[in-house]
Amino acid sequence: MDPVRLITFPMERDYSLTGPERQNAFDKGLAGAEWYRTPVDRKVLKSLMKRTDWPATRDIAIWVAVLVGSGAGGILLWGSWWALPFFFVYGVFYASAADSRWHECGHGTAFKTRWKNDAVYELASFLLMRNSVVWRWSHARHHTDTIIVGRDPEIAGMRPPQLIVLCLNLFGIVAVPQSLAALARNAAGILPPDEADLIPESERDNAIRVGRIHIAIYVLVALVSLWSWSLLPLMIIGLPRAYGIWLLLVMGLPQHLGLAEDVLDYRINSRTVLMNPILRFIYLNMNYHIEHHMYPMVPYHALPKLREVVKHDLPAPNPSLWNAWSEIIPCVLRQLRDPRHFIRPQLPEGAGVWEPVRSNQTA
Amino acid sequence: MPWIDACALVDIEEEDLVRLDHEGRTYAVYRISGEEVYCTDGLCTHEKVHLADGLVIDHTIECPKHNGQFDVRTGAAIRSPACEALSTYPARVVDGRVHVEIP
Ligand code: FES
């Protein structure tokens, strides 16, 4: 039996990609449907989508410099309590900041130069213990069928919310063993049904190869740790995915948590939260989440400008993370009793109305 | 296949594209610079999204949905999740008009 089952609440709906909700999504025309997007003049959009290498070169360079600096500090002070603040910073940049770089480079929007996006994407995938092939396809599906139950593999806030798991995952306690197990399965040549549902035949060998590379490196680091009888190698590679991920959850869970399922309008199932420049640097502006889903081709550095263009049509943003969590926590607590409860954002007066164009795709 | 008058050259900005619907099918007509024009199928091979909302970068078209990329000269898929090539069609400029040879 999967031990995680012991700490999960029974769910009303089946969030897997191969269960009955999958068929349901197709039957209701929710799979591969057309979504509402605030109209933006093509000229304006083109200028927002424009690619350049400079902002990402700067932001990745700062990220690497912080990683190297804090990692070196942690190594030099290993054995003393003074190492703690260095590992605190190292962990946040290794895991939480890697996620947004992984995401932006996965979309191919960070750099204009393709190989730079690919290189950072592969590195960040490794740091986050994600199979870069599997997750590329899973994220594509997340964009096709955002929070459509039975289709979206990236629904973090199922109903009722798995609060124990979410809290443990602030330090990767459930997610890290699950991620390593998933990589090990891939390394063994296995793609479970949910992954097979996402990845086309032609990409499957690649997924297995990536799983093998990741597992080989992690095994090597674990052996060095054992051989030297020191936790230090694992504190540098591997464990930061656990001890540094908490900030990503704090910033990232509000993207969709507590909002509607099975709607074809990002304004209703996604959340934009205003954040300070330091958090926005770590998170590469993914706090502009409705805007990102509407126009995923707009690079992170242009999202504040995109927001200015579309904000008349969007619900008011949460003015801070604190404010976002103040609406999320009561909502998820209520969902424990009433899984159908969710937050309905208020669209501004005059906002565009969407006649959902449901798809006629079949499963 | 007949040559079809798609649009005036000036109707397409440099490094941009327009959508062309013809006989129940959708095409994408690109202008890279000057009189360098190309034509491909108009729907992404990944999930049938209109490429006309995408972005032309050098000789590639990036799909607006998942950022898959194709080379507009050959139709080759060069970035996943686009894996299958687009069909391409001859295109030329005649007296300031863009002509494409499509079925
Ligand atoms: S629909 Fe074009 S890349 Fe997915």
Side-chain angles (χ1 to χ4, degrees), chain A residues 241-257:
Chain A
R241 161 64 183 84
Y243 67 75
I245 203 72
W246 61 273
L247 184 58
L248 169 66
L249 272 72
V250 172
M251 293 187 297
L253 281 175
Q255 289 176 352
H256 306 284
L257 196 56

Side-chain angles (χ1 to χ4, degrees), chain B residues 44 46-47 49 63 65-66 68 81:
Chain B
C44 179
H46 177 222
E47 285 184 2
V49 165
C63 172
K65 188 77 182 178
H66 310 113

Side-chain angles (χ1 to χ4, degrees), chain A residues 33 35 37 42-43 46 49-51 105-109 112 114 118 136-137 140 143-144 200 202-203 266 296-297, chain B residues 13-17 46-47 52-58 60 62-67 69 78-83:
Chain A
W35 288 64
R37 293 195 302 177
R42 171 89 187 150
K43 263 208 168 86
K46 254 181 78 182
M49 293 192 295
K50 204 164 177 54
R51 301 295 153 74
C105 292
H107 277 283
T109 41
K112 181 176 182 188
R114 194 159 7 112
D118 292 343
R136 192 185 286 284
W137 289 89
H143 271 268
T144 303
S202 58
E203 294 278 301
Y266 304 117
M297 301 185 69
Chain B
E13 279 186 30
E14 295 202 334
E15 277 219 309
D16 206 2
L17 76 162
H46 177 222
E47 285 184 2
D53 295 330
L55 180 68
V56 177
I57 310 170
D58 301 327
T60 62
E62 185 173 302
C63 172
K65 188 77 182 178
H66 310 113
N67 314 75
Q69 291 183 346
I78 52 178
R79 184 172 191 282
S80 64
C83 296

